[in-house]
Amino acid sequence: MLFPRLLARHGGPIVQARDRSPGGGTASQVRSRMAIAIACFVAVYGVIGGRLVQYGLSEIDSGSRYSAADRSLASRPDIVDRSGIVLATDIRVASLFGEPRRIVDVDEAVEELASVLPDVDYKEWHRKLSSGAGFVWLRRELTPRQQADVLALGIPGIGFRTEKRRFYPGGPVASHILGLVNIDNAGIAGIEKYVDDQGLGTLQDLGLDVDTELAPVKLSLDARVQHIVRDVLVDGMERYKAIAAGGVVLDAKTGEVVAMVSLPDYDPNNPYNALDKDRLNRMSAGTFEMGSTFKAFTTAMALDSGKVDLNDSFDASRPIQIARFTISDFHGKKRVLSVPEIFIYSSNIGTAKMADVVGIEQHREFLTRIGLLTRMETELPEVAKPTQPDEWKKLNSITISFGHGVSTTPLQTAVAAAALVNGGTLLKPTFLARGADHAKVLGKKVLDPATSDAMRYLFRLNVEKGSGRRAEVEGFVVGGKTGTAEKVVNGRYSSEKRFNAFLAAFPMDDPQYVVLAIIDEPKPEEGKSGATAGMNAAPMVREIVARSAPLLGLMPRFGEDEDALLVSY
Amino acid sequence: MYTRSDRSAMAEWWRTIDRWFLAAFLALIAFGVVLSFAASPAVAERIGLDTYHFVERHGLFLVPAIGVMIAVSFLDARQIRRLALITLVISVALMIAALFFGVEVKGSRRWVRLFGLSLQPSEFMKPAFVILCAWLFAEQQRRPEIPGSLIAMILFIAMAALLVAQPDLGQTILLAGIWGAMFFIAGLSWLWIGLLGVSAGMGLMAAYFAFPHVADRVNRFLTGEGDTYQVDTGREAIVRGGWFGQGPGEGTVKRILPDSHTDFIFSVLAEEFGIILCAVLVSIFAFIVLRGFWRATRDHDAFQRFAVAGLVTLIGFQSTINIAVNLQLMPAKGMTLPFVSYGGSSMIAVALTAGMILALTRRRPESRAGRVQFHSVSRFQPAS
């Protein structure tokens, strides 16, 4: 037996009783043992008390169960345009919920609700309300009228919870820029997502969301110009029966996007179709072979390299034969052309020869330098990466010189064009208000100012005498380059389907704004023939410039300017 | 209320009762009633009973509970010992019966049906066990030839074996803790303290490795990983409540936690009534425990000293374990909060405990030092 032996070895009873006072062990010993026990309990209760105080002082971490419900009340900042016009704001809405256990008669409740909310899914709601759950959402974001009607029914076990909902006063006007929020008011696209990515989302995840007003996010957008651009594009799409259109107005000196529209778009207040493949933001998330507008970059490159002068001439009398391909001109003049002639007649042969003079590596380096071969950096999350050949051969350089073989986003094309006309400064595009001073710091010199001057002359010349005549707006000195690209259909360039663009800037003597309009698969206008860029994209730019330039604070000037510009060269 | 000359039993009782203890127990009962209204309707609705099913039953149990407490407090030490012996014998019999005929609830056989009532005999065993151990220790010290400690040890092993057989590890650990504490207070030598401490540690290790759910809970507590839903929800509720609470009826944990009317009632209290009221509740428990020890320290009668210390230790352990689990200070362990949690057996057993504390702390002429001194001197002086 274990115990007796232990007892024996220890030589006495387990409990020591040396000096037996009345009632058991040593009074002092028992007292000290009691004191130890008391001390232990005091310590334990002390720890409990301390823990209570700690809990009392701690904040709720809403990272788990309560967070979705809490966040729905959290504010998002308003988004305003450059002059403070509200583009996106929070409104308070009521959401309908049910507490099935408190509902007296499910059939009656659903029937009564159906009398004011006619689109109620009877079976679904009946199932929800008889589920025995404590809480079920019935309908998020009711209109005030619906809320009043439901309230008037007085059904027990039905209640409202105030939530915040994003509202876009302009509807679809700036949909692609503003983006979207989900049902919990978290940004999932566009500037809304950018705002979250800038820290708002993190703050909310940490439970630091607030129900109060936040400082608005000020965009570089001008709501009026945005509206004009969209209006012109909607009209153009209809007029030319196109499948898509897009446009951007960019501040040439600061890189601020003043307006940007991609059609078809969606209504962010009811974005049921926002995810349709067709409705992506073509301007920043779509890439296109920009066609002849690219010749502007080739020409600028040739002039900037110093190897080509404005007065040089190239023989465009015969098509270029390379590999199995024949490069010929659309409006063939079959003669030697000067550089300005190559530009305004949009000669593929002449442009290819200019690129040839510069060289393949330099060609690639130049396009990289003006940001046409790398993914553009801007606030919008939806930005596509341009494509280019893995290996540049002579044929690639030739086709790229007139805009085939490299796909870029329209927005980055406009950004590069701004560098061509603003004295040679490449500016990262932005959707947020950016001052001219800030832009000066950010700008990167990519071109010689003299090259920029020459380009302004060429752009202007093309509107005065070349394919861009239909873009002229009297008094605003528009300059630009058309681009009529044949689309690739089943691996072959199709002569039926075109992607047209007009890349412009105004006023050309001191360009303030770059305007780019694109139109996808335009058909000839009713009663007219031809669907080249000069017939559709250029008039669209004219509309945009004519209607928005006065709003942008530019004065029309008549008479002397054009002469002065021409005289200087 | 009663004059000193009034010699009726009631007057005698009122004069000699420890009114602080009485007030503390009644305060706990009041807490229990209020919290029953707060926590149990949600549970009752969830499991499909009448809204006030648990509230009604809580109130119903209060009548016999208060009756037991008052009635037991009338008894003297000798009667308490007899009561404890009878209670122990009956509860052990019922515990054995539960093993064979009991209802299996959540994998263990702790309940027996008797006269249409569900009983958890182990609840009644605890105070009876404490009293008997106290008596054995006291007798050992009074008459060393009686192997009181040894019998106490055998008694403990038998009780622990019955509890493990159910299995009910929480009660086993509770019982071991009380028994150890009493042994410690009785003057256990440090060698034995070490030995028992090691074996307790080994027992806990064995539990960890033998019972997967124990290992699971301990791991969850230590790592914070896995399904900590109940304790996390409890914690969140307390934090949400803040100092002053969300207000009566405004709580949410009670809708979520399955054991909100028993094991997690403290979280319900915190969420609806605030941390300050929680602190008041903790203070009442602390007061009972500390006053019990203080009275025990001053008591000259060995049996009463050990018994009171043991009984308040029982209440102290149960309350601290329950609250510590709610406050995430220890691994999840189902333990009722004395007088506050819902549960008939628990309520009446705690009333029995409280009644015994009240009975043993009554001022009695015979417990005065002089007479005891005389008694013991006559008995022991020659031997030493």
Side-chain angles (χ1 to χ4, degrees):
Chain A
M1 273 289 284
L2 176 71
F3 289 123
R5 274 177 62 197
L6 267 173
L7 293 180
R9 193 181 305 157
H10 189 52
I14 298 167
V15 172
Q16 294 165 334
R18 283 185 298 259
D19 172 23
R20 268 175 230 104
S21 64
T26 324
S28 67
Q29 188 197 14
V30 171
R31 200 160 288 164
S32 70
R33 288 288 170 90
M34 287 274 195
I36 293 173
I38 290 173
C40 289
F41 268 108
V42 167
V44 170
Y45 282 112
V47 167
I48 288 174
R51 184 69 156 193
L52 280 174
V53 171
Q54 185 200 345
Y55 276 8
L57 296 176
S58 59
E59 298 285 326
I60 299 170
D61 49 342
S62 57
S64 54
R65 193 159 38 76
Y66 299 101
S67 66
D70 285 349
R71 177 181 287 198
S72 57
L73 257 183
S75 287
R76 298 185 61 78
D78 282 359
I79 299 177
V80 299
D81 87 336
R82 60 191 306 132
S83 47
I85 295 172
V86 173
L87 300 174
T89 189
D90 278 341
I91 53 172
R92 282 175 182 271
V93 290
S95 287
L96 186 68
F97 67 84
E99 291 179 279
R101 285 201 216 99
R102 295 177 51 194
I103 287 180
V104 183
D105 184 336
V106 175
D107 291 307
E108 190 190 343
V110 179
E111 261 167 38
E112 289 192 2
L113 285 171
S115 69
V116 294
L117 302 169
D119 53 341
V120 160
D121 180 345
Y122 192 91
K123 269 189 191 158
E124 169 74 6
W125 283 30
H126 196 278
R127 186 188 59 72
K128 275 185 180 175
L129 290 179
S130 27
S131 64
F135 179 98
V136 288
W137 281 120
L138 293 176
R139 174 74 57 87
R140 303 287 287 267
E141 301 178 349
L142 296 179
T143 64
R145 176 67 190 272
Q146 288 172 325
Q147 187 193 5
D149 287 347
V150 174
L151 207 55
L153 293 174
I155 307 169
I158 298 283
F160 303 98
R161 214 195 129 92
T162 306
E163 293 188 284
K164 281 198 172 168
R165 185 200 160 146
R166 211 58 171 155
F167 177 65
Y168 303 89
V173 167
S175 52
H176 282 119
I177 297 172
L178 297 173
L180 283 173
V181 295
N182 63 14
I183 192 95
D184 291 322
N185 241 8
I188 53 171
I191 292 294
E192 297 278 22
K193 184 171 193 307
Y194 168 77
V195 169
D196 275 18
D197 292 347
Q198 286 311 100
L200 183 70
T202 321
L203 287 177
Q204 290 182 344
D205 285 343
L206 290 173
L208 296 175
D209 46 2
V210 286
D211 192 19
T212 51
E213 293 275 303
L214 296 168
V217 174
K218 190 172 182 181
L219 299 189
S220 58
L221 240 49
D222 185 311
R224 301 164 303 177
V225 178
Q226 177 76 16
H227 190 83
I228 289 167
V229 172
R230 183 164 187 277
D231 197 41
V232 169
L233 293 180
V234 168
D235 180 63
M237 248 180 90
E238 197 181 328
R239 187 186 300 257
Y240 308 115
K241 299 176 190 68
I243 60 166
V248 59
V249 177
L250 187 74
D251 188 314
K253 308 224 158 164
T254 63
E256 293 169 292
V257 177
V258 177
M260 189 175 89
V261 177
S262 168
L263 292 180
D265 54 12
Y266 57 90
D267 183 350
N269 293 320
N270 182 20
Y272 67 97
N273 55 3
L275 289 179
D276 289 0
K277 199 165 161 248
D278 193 35
R279 291 174 198 269
L280 88 165
N281 181 359
R282 281 156 215 275
M283 298 306 287
S284 67
T287 59
F288 302 94
E289 293 188 329
M290 292 303 294
S292 300
T293 45
F294 237 63
K295 286 173 187 158
F297 302 112
T298 312
T299 309
M301 168 185 73
L303 296 173
D304 201 54
S305 70
K307 292 172 183 165
V308 175
D309 190 56
L310 213 49
N311 300 318
D312 287 349
S313 296
F314 292 87
D315 181 9
S317 56
R318 280 191 308 278
I320 300 173
Q321 300 285 343
I322 179 161
R324 301 174 287 112
F325 301 94
T326 305
I327 311 295
S328 54
D329 283 354
F330 187 68
H331 320 274
K333 296 287 169 197
K334 310 261 189 270
R335 62 176 170 86
V336 175
L337 298 174
S338 69
V339 170
E341 283 173 325
I342 291 172
F343 194 76
I344 65 172
Y345 298 138
S346 199
S347 164
N348 293 339
I349 302 166
T351 312
K353 287 192 169 169
M354 281 197 279
D356 190 34
V357 168
V358 175
I360 298 167
E361 269 317 299
Q362 287 85 336
H363 191 182
R364 191 176 186 174
E365 185 275 329
F366 178 82
L367 292 184
T368 309
R369 177 160 27 118
I370 60 170
L372 285 171
L373 297 182
T374 49
R375 187 172 182 274
M376 174 180 59
E377 285 176 28
T378 187
E379 291 86 8
L380 286 192
E382 301 88 10
V383 175
K385 188 175 183 292
T387 59
Q388 59 167 317
D390 296 333
E391 192 187 344
W392 282 46
K393 300 204 177 100
K394 190 172 166 75
L395 177 65
N396 299 114
S397 175
I398 285 171
T399 60
I400 289 165
S401 75
F402 50 83
H404 288 274
V406 162
S407 297
T408 61
T409 66
L411 178 58
Q412 81 187 131
T413 309
V415 168
L420 297 190
V421 298
N422 70 5
T425 309
L426 182 67
L427 285 153
K428 211 173 88 175
T430 181
F431 290 86
L432 301 179
R434 173 199 275 171
D437 300 336
H438 190 202
K440 253 181 211 145
V441 183
L442 288 175
K444 198 173 79 182
K445 266 281 183 249
V446 291
L447 283 182
D448 193 64
T451 311
S452 176
D453 290 342
M455 288 313 297
R456 291 195 286 117
Y457 164 69
L458 292 175
F459 276 129
R460 177 63 191 151
L461 193 66
N462 191 38
V463 169
E464 286 189 331
K465 300 185 174 168
S467 55
R469 283 187 300 275
R470 288 183 182 80
E472 172 67 331
V473 181
E474 207 167 334
F476 287 110
V477 205
V478 180
K481 179 77 189 83
T482 51
T484 306
E486 291 171 348
K487 284 180 71 169
V488 177
V489 177
N490 298 328
R492 301 177 66 89
Y493 285 104
S494 154
S495 53
E496 299 294 312
K497 297 189 171 173
R498 299 192 177 89
F499 174 84
N500 290 357
F502 190 71
L503 178 59
F506 71 95
M508 224 53 228
D509 51 334
D510 181 18
Q512 302 293 322
Y513 296 98
V514 170
V515 183
L516 171 66
I518 60 169
I519 184 156
D520 201 357
E521 296 188 18
K523 319 288 180 298
E525 194 183 345
E526 199 88 25
K528 292 184 184 175
S529 64
T532 56
M535 300 291 289
N536 38 51
M540 281 157 62
V541 167
R542 183 193 62 219
E543 276 296 296
I544 291 171
V545 173
R547 287 171 62 183
S548 59
L551 296 177
L552 289 167
L554 293 175
M555 290 291 172
R557 282 160 301 165
F558 302 103
E560 74 284 351
D561 284 321
E562 291 125 273
D563 295 335
L565 188 74
L566 289 180
V567 162
S568 68
Y569 292 102
Chain B
M1 203 157 141
Y2 297 104
T3 60
R4 264 196 174 272
S5 57
D6 188 345
R7 287 276 161 193
S8 73
M10 248 350 253
E12 191 71 22
W13 179 82
W14 177 250
R15 197 158 54 240
T16 54
I17 201 84
D18 188 320
R19 286 168 213 165
W20 284 105
F21 267 134
L22 189 62
F25 291 134
L26 291 175
L28 286 183
I29 289 172
F31 257 102
V33 172
V34 172
L35 284 180
S36 163
F37 273 101
S40 64
V43 180
E45 282 182 19
R46 190 166 50 226
I47 60 179
L49 298 169
D50 287 344
T51 306
Y52 291 104
H53 174 84
F54 289 120
V55 177
E56 282 165 14
R57 286 180 65 91
H58 192 98
L60 208 64
F61 285 129
L62 275 183
V63 178
I66 295 176
V68 164
M69 183 171 84
I70 302 295
V72 171
S73 70
F74 272 95
L75 305 180
D76 63 24
R78 176 190 289 257
Q79 287 166 325
I80 291 283
R81 284 197 291 268
R82 283 187 186 154
L83 175 66
L85 188 62
I86 296 165
T87 311
L88 188 79
V89 169
I90 295 175
S91 18
V92 167
L94 289 177
M95 281 165 77
I96 294 170
L99 288 180
F100 294 101
F101 316 109
V103 201
E104 184 163 327
V105 180
K106 293 178 190 169
S108 54
R109 296 180 178 277
R110 302 173 187 174
W111 299 84
V112 281
R113 282 199 75 80
L114 214 61
F115 316 120
L117 284 170
S118 276
L119 274 180
Q120 192 178 359
S122 57
E123 291 286 348
F124 297 93
M125 180 272 284
K126 286 184 290 185
F129 172 80
V130 169
I131 296 293
L132 289 179
C133 280
W135 180 60
L136 287 167
F137 290 139
E139 284 303 301
Q140 162 104 50
Q141 297 197 342
R142 194 175 296 167
R143 277 173 276 173
E145 68 275 14
I146 294 179
S149 310
L150 186 61
I151 299 176
M153 188 174 285
I154 292 168
L155 188 63
F156 165 68
I157 290 170
M159 294 302 118
L162 274 175
L163 287 173
V164 172
Q166 284 184 348
D168 191 343
L169 284 178
Q171 301 274 34
T172 313
I173 292 168
L174 182 67
L175 203 68
I178 296 159
W179 182 76
M182 289 179 69
F183 229 141
F184 175 78
I185 291 166
L188 188 65
S189 70
W190 287 103
L191 173 72
W192 273 92
I193 293 171
L195 280 174
L196 289 178
V198 169
S199 49
M202 280 163 54
L204 289 176
M205 294 281 281
Y208 181 88
F209 288 111
F211 296 92
H213 74 279
V214 175
D216 190 37
R217 283 184 186 178
V218 173
N219 290 345
R220 267 184 276 163
F221 173 72
L222 292 178
T223 60
E225 284 165 15
D227 182 13
T228 54
Y229 181 71
Q230 289 216 5
V231 283
D232 283 349
T233 312
R235 193 195 100 86
E236 239 174 78
I238 297 171
V239 175
R240 266 164 62 83
W243 294 108
F244 301 103
Q246 298 270 314
E250 297 292 314
T252 55
V253 264
K254 60 186 184 188
R255 298 186 190 282
I256 299 162
L257 289 187
D259 293 329
S260 58
H261 62 319
T262 55
D263 298 346
F264 283 94
I265 197 152
F266 191 78
S267 298
V268 175
L269 168 72
E271 189 180 22
E272 298 200 357
F273 298 93
I275 286 173
I276 291 178
L277 219 62
C278 285
V280 170
L281 182 64
V282 172
S283 313
I284 295 174
F285 280 115
F287 171 78
I288 291 171
V289 172
L290 297 181
R291 182 169 178 83
F293 272 111
W294 181 69
R295 291 296 304 259
T297 315
R298 291 179 31 133
D299 205 316
H300 290 276
D301 182 76
F303 164 67
Q304 293 191 14
R305 170 188 298 164
F306 293 142
V308 171
L311 291 171
V312 295
T313 306
L314 171 61
I315 290 182
F317 276 174
Q318 248 184 266
S319 63
T320 48
I321 290 175
N322 175 286
I323 295 171
V325 168
N326 274 273
L327 295 176
Q328 279 187 310
L329 289 169
M330 60 176 282
K333 179 68 232 128
M335 187 76 61
T336 53
L337 196 54
F339 276 129
V340 179
S341 291
Y342 172 81
S345 302
S346 159
M347 169 94 73
I348 292 172
V350 174
L352 182 66
T353 311
M356 286 172 167
I357 293 175
L358 287 171
L360 295 172
T361 53
R362 280 172 68 183
R363 276 172 296 173
R364 287 196 181 80
E366 65 265 32
S367 72
R368 293 267 163 78
R371 200 176 146 192
V372 177
Q373 191 91 33
F374 172 71
H375 215 77
S376 51
V377 165
S378 68
R379 195 176 273 175
F380 291 118
Q381 205 67 357
S384 62

